[in-house]
Every structure is written in C-alpha cells, then in structure tokens.
Amino acid sequence: SSFAGLSFIIFPNPVSNSFCTIHILDFEPSAQYSYILYDYLGRRLTKQNLNNQRSEIPLKRFNTSILYLSFLQNDRLIENVPILMNNE
C-alpha cells in the first residue's frame, strides 16, 4: 500500500500464525510511526509505536476472524488495512 509517497507492506495476510509483519519501505528515522488495531465492531484493541523499518505485530491474543489495522505516520492516518485471521 502507499499514500503520499509512503509505501508499506503487511504480510502475511491472511495470517495463519501468531503475528504479521509490517515493513515500511520509505522509512524515515525522524518520523514517528504507529498502528492501532480494531476488532470488526470498531473497538480499539491496542496502539503501538513502530521504531524500526520492519516490525512484528503480535496477534495471537486476538480471537477473531478479522482485524483492522490503522497505520499512522506522525499521528496522521495513512491507511486502514483489513487483516484476515486464519484461526484453525
């Protein structure tokens, strides 16, 4: 995905293990990155800062089939991404 020159990848999606990875392709060390996870009803589950170009997002504790990840740069929404959970 990309927005205003900022590109990032979230993988795997669907998630079949206990985490997914976010890779910020245009990582700027001076910028502040974070994400917010929501459940399918829009309830906020967690917010975390991302300090590296590539970060693992733990998902094991969320017992749901779909999550929504809001990716932010400097507290500005870049994109909302659905994350499909393959809970077998």
Side-chain angles (χ1 to χ4, degrees):
S1 297
S2 67
F3 179 83
L6 179 66
S7 297
F8 64 97
I9 301 169
I10 297 175
F11 62 94
N13 193 6
V15 175
S16 58
N17 50 14
S18 59
F19 66 91
C20 69
T21 300
I22 186 165
H23 185 150
I24 305 165
L25 301 174
D26 303 319
F27 186 80
E28 300 173 28
S30 61
Q32 190 176 33
Y33 301 96
S34 59
Y35 69 87
I36 305 172
L37 279 178
Y38 298 92
D39 68 10
Y40 68 96
L41 295 175
R43 293 179 294 209
R44 183 172 149 169
L45 302 173
T46 188
K47 179 179 181 182
Q48 298 292 322
N49 291 328
L50 300 167
N51 300 318
N52 301 305
Q53 184 173 15
R54 189 175 180 140
S55 302
E56 290 185 356
I57 300 172
L59 301 171
K60 188 173 186 172
R61 64 185 167 143
F62 305 115
N63 188 19
T64 184
S65 59
I66 189 165
L67 294 167
Y68 294 94
L69 183 141
S70 294
F71 178 64
L72 299 98
Q73 179 186 29
N74 299 324
D75 291 324
R76 184 181 59 127
L77 178 65
I78 300 300
E79 189 168 344
N80 290 310
V81 179
I83 297 177
L84 303 174
M85 304 291 287
N86 188 3
N87 295 327
E88 295 181 358

